[in-house]
Amino acid sequence: MQKGMHTDTERCVRAVRSKDARFDGWFFTAVLTTGIYCRPSCPAVPPKPENMVFQPSAAACQQAGFRACKRCRPDTSPGSPEWNRRADAVARAMRLIADGTVDREGVPGLAARLGYSTRQVERQLLAELGAGPLALARAQRAQTARLLIETTALPMTEIAFAAGFSSVRSFNDTVREVFALAPSDLRARAPQRTSGNPTSTPGALSLRLPFRAPLNPDNLFGHLAATAVPGVEEWKDGAYRRTLRLPYGHGVVALAPRPDHIACRLTLTDPRDLTVAISRCRRLLDLDADPVAVDDRLRTDPVLAPLVDKAPGRRVPRTVDEAEFAVRAVLGQQVSTAAARTHAARLVTAHGEPVDDPDPEGGLTHLFPSPEALAALDPETLAMPRTRRTTFTTLVRELADGGLRLGVGSDWPETREKLLALPGFGPWTADVIAMRALGDPDAFLPTDLGIRRAARELGLPSTPAALTARAAAWRPWRAYAVQYLWATDSHPINFLPA
């Protein structure tokens, strides 16, 4: 699968005829005779090829006047894997739009984060996606609005502003245009909620996060649970739970693996954070990955092939907060997983912001401390070697001052160079941040002890230089190769908790 798949008409027609769900999110099918657009796996009878037009985004379909199919709900398909595998300006823009940047800062704010003019950003997005940043953000607002309409009892006025619309009128007009139904009719068509359903409580939502199969939950949830910071994260009743620092408030999320989706339970202090919270949870679990493309590449190596065949669909566990992960990466330098958790827990207790856990039996108590709070602490209170203390204080000062910006819109190579320039930052720390915080799918950890041990046991070169040379064949998916290599060990990060 490649950039601009929607331009390959023959391939798109084959995907639609086979109803292949792997292509959902890669492109959308606009049907000229009905005026609707669908995902490739739509269960309806496929239209004739001459009546199909293929678009790269839901926003492009909507902008061309097509309405969302009521059967396959194309606006809720997994996101295109392109935006998480590429480092160019368009991919960075799409990640920022998904994180709500346009709604909060407008197109000028998006352009400033990317380092381009608004005209350049609009031109690049229009050329590749058939829609500009405002149209893409509008499509996202429409999806959020439908989710709130169908799963909550919130009044329509509250939904309009929670979804990011500037007025109730624009909310009504957009919903009618995109779904061919008034908001009240959309709610009437949704499955009826029982009076005891907790999703009818304002601020609490239960939803399903889709993904492309296969998905192996073992190392994904195992890693998050084994490294969970007490008070901020926990594994409880078959779900990974954690607190979220969000633009308008905070939240608590519970994520549980299911055979065909991730069950997501969100409690938010401000419903305007819904879109961002969902985007960050999807990113945390790497749900927009294309596991077939990844695994096919890794299978070309005879050493990796048996590992992939044994447990296909491994994802890269990422983060909901890039600054938090960078701090935790420093705390984890040259210490055990348990010691890193202990260091982090002390910081949380002393400097985190207290929150209430909506689950009366839950153990979530704090938001992870912000860089500003950590920059203000007394370094002498840190129970760590002096050199690592310098590394820690320099990092949090750079994050607090804005000298170092870690986020979905980061330029991967440039940010890696900035990290390596900080005292105490070697390749391992920079690359683990690139892999799990920045989301670089090709980040590699040849100096990691677990990787070197796995390499020796598998007969791969175990010195960093030789292993890096061998791993060139795994590009651009070396971060996924890391997951398969780590999984050869019996460490708790590789197993779904009981």
Side-chain angles (χ1 to χ4, degrees):
M1 291 174 229
Q2 71 287 329
K3 187 173 173 178
M5 183 181 172
H6 68 286
T7 61
D8 189 340
T9 301
E10 183 179 339
R11 195 174 181 201
C12 289
V13 168
R14 286 201 308 270
V16 170
R17 284 178 168 169
S18 63
K19 303 184 188 298
D20 194 334
R22 291 178 301 167
F23 295 96
D24 288 353
W26 276 100
F27 69 90
F28 296 82
T29 308
V31 186
L32 298 174
T33 49
T34 61
I36 65 170
Y37 72 95
C38 303
R39 60 171 80 196
S41 65
C42 183
V45 177
K48 294 178 180 178
E50 58 267 27
N51 293 328
M52 289 189 266
V53 175
F54 303 107
Q55 298 281 9
S57 65
C61 294
Q62 294 168 17
Q63 196 154 276
F66 293 91
R67 303 183 308 276
C69 173
K70 294 184 177 70
R71 290 190 66 182
C72 71
R73 300 162 66 97
D75 56 308
T76 61
S77 61
S80 171
E82 285 292 333
W83 316 134
N84 289 336
R85 65 169 283 206
R86 286 164 43 189
D88 57 73
V90 170
R92 290 164 58 207
M94 289 301 290
R95 294 195 290 269
L96 286 166
I97 291 170
D99 201 52
T101 298
V102 170
D103 289 336
R104 294 191 302 274
E105 303 173 23
V107 179
L110 174 68
R113 286 176 175 262
L114 294 170
Y116 290 91
S117 69
T118 55
R119 184 173 295 180
Q120 284 174 306
V121 172
E122 288 172 344
R123 186 171 63 245
Q124 290 184 59
L125 288 172
L126 195 60
E128 185 163 339
L129 288 146
L134 288 175
L136 291 161
R138 178 176 178 265
Q140 183 167 276
R141 286 195 294 275
Q143 180 184 343
T144 303
R146 169 147 79 173
L147 186 63
L148 288 167
I149 290 167
E150 294 181 339
T151 63
T152 77
L154 287 173
M156 294 299 176
T157 302
E158 290 186 34
I159 289 177
F161 294 109
F165 290 95
S166 58
S167 69
V168 174
R169 180 176 179 179
S170 62
F171 160 73
N172 287 327
D173 290 347
T174 298
V175 170
R176 285 195 182 94
E177 184 180 331
V178 174
F179 304 114
L181 289 169
S184 56
D185 296 329
L186 202 57
R187 176 166 279 174
R189 288 172 56 96
Q192 292 299 303
R193 297 176 302 277
T194 62
S195 58
N197 191 330
T199 60
S200 62
T201 304
L205 291 161
S206 291
L207 35 138
R208 298 157 62 105
L209 304 183
F211 56 76
R212 292 177 186 80
L215 180 144
N216 187 318
D218 295 2
N219 73 300
L220 182 59
F221 286 91
H223 207 121
L224 296 172
T227 60
V229 176
V232 175
E233 305 167 284
E234 69 175 358
W235 180 266
K236 181 176 182 290
D237 299 332
Y240 166 76
R241 304 179 72 241
R242 72 154 292 150
T243 59
L244 302 170
R245 183 185 299 278
L246 298 164
Y248 296 103
H250 66 265
V252 169
V253 67
L255 298 161
R258 300 288 183 263
D260 61 348
H261 68 279
I262 300 296
C264 174
R265 170 91 172 137
L266 266 173
T267 305
L268 303 172
T269 57
D270 191 316
R272 290 177 295 175
D273 284 321
L274 176 63
T275 302
V276 174
I278 293 173
S279 174
R280 292 182 184 178
C281 290
R282 294 192 64 80
R283 186 169 167 78
L284 170 72
L285 301 180
D286 197 17
L287 297 186
D288 291 323
D290 181 359
V292 174
V294 172
D295 289 352
D296 283 352
R297 170 57 63 88
L298 299 183
R299 278 193 185 97
T300 61
D301 189 309
V303 175
L304 292 186
L307 305 180
V308 176
D309 291 338
K310 180 182 177 182
R314 292 194 186 276
R315 300 300 207 270
V316 178
R318 296 213 166 110
T319 183
V320 293
D321 187 320
E322 294 81 9
E324 173 192 315
F325 185 84
V327 170
R328 291 171 60 174
V330 169
L331 296 177
Q333 287 178 335
Q334 300 176 337
V335 298
S336 67
T337 300
R341 292 179 70 211
T342 299
H343 282 313
R346 288 176 185 151
L347 287 181
V348 166
T349 302
H351 306 284
E353 297 169 38
V355 298
D356 293 326
D357 191 331
D359 182 341
E361 298 179 359
L364 303 182
T365 58
H366 290 80
L367 297 176
F368 194 85
S370 67
E372 292 77 14
L374 294 175
L377 61 75
D378 178 0
E380 296 301 320
T381 62
L382 297 171
M384 59 180 68
R386 186 166 297 279
T387 53
R388 194 169 314 133
R389 195 181 300 169
T390 300
T391 302
F392 177 91
T393 54
T394 305
L395 171 66
V396 296
R397 187 171 60 250
E398 287 288 318
L399 290 170
D401 294 346
L404 176 66
R405 299 185 70 170
L406 303 178
V408 292
S410 295
D411 179 291
W412 296 336
E414 178 185 299
T415 304
R416 189 176 182 278
E417 286 183 19
K418 287 184 177 180
L419 289 169
L420 287 170
L422 298 176
F425 269 73
W428 182 89
T429 309
D431 287 329
V432 80
I433 291 172
M435 179 175 74
R436 294 194 54 199
L438 303 183
D440 182 353
D442 200 38
F444 192 49
L445 306 175
T447 62
D448 182 84
L449 292 178
I451 296 300
R452 296 180 69 179
R453 185 164 55 242
R456 278 196 303 272
E457 292 176 358
L458 293 168
L460 290 167
S462 57
T463 63
L467 185 57
T468 299
R470 172 63 180 267
W474 307 339
R475 306 191 75 166
W477 308 119
R478 293 182 301 176
Y480 294 86
V482 167
Q483 309 310 312
Y484 283 105
L485 292 173
W486 269 341
T488 61
D489 192 64
S490 58
H491 195 285
I493 64 170
N494 295 313
F495 302 97
L496 193 69

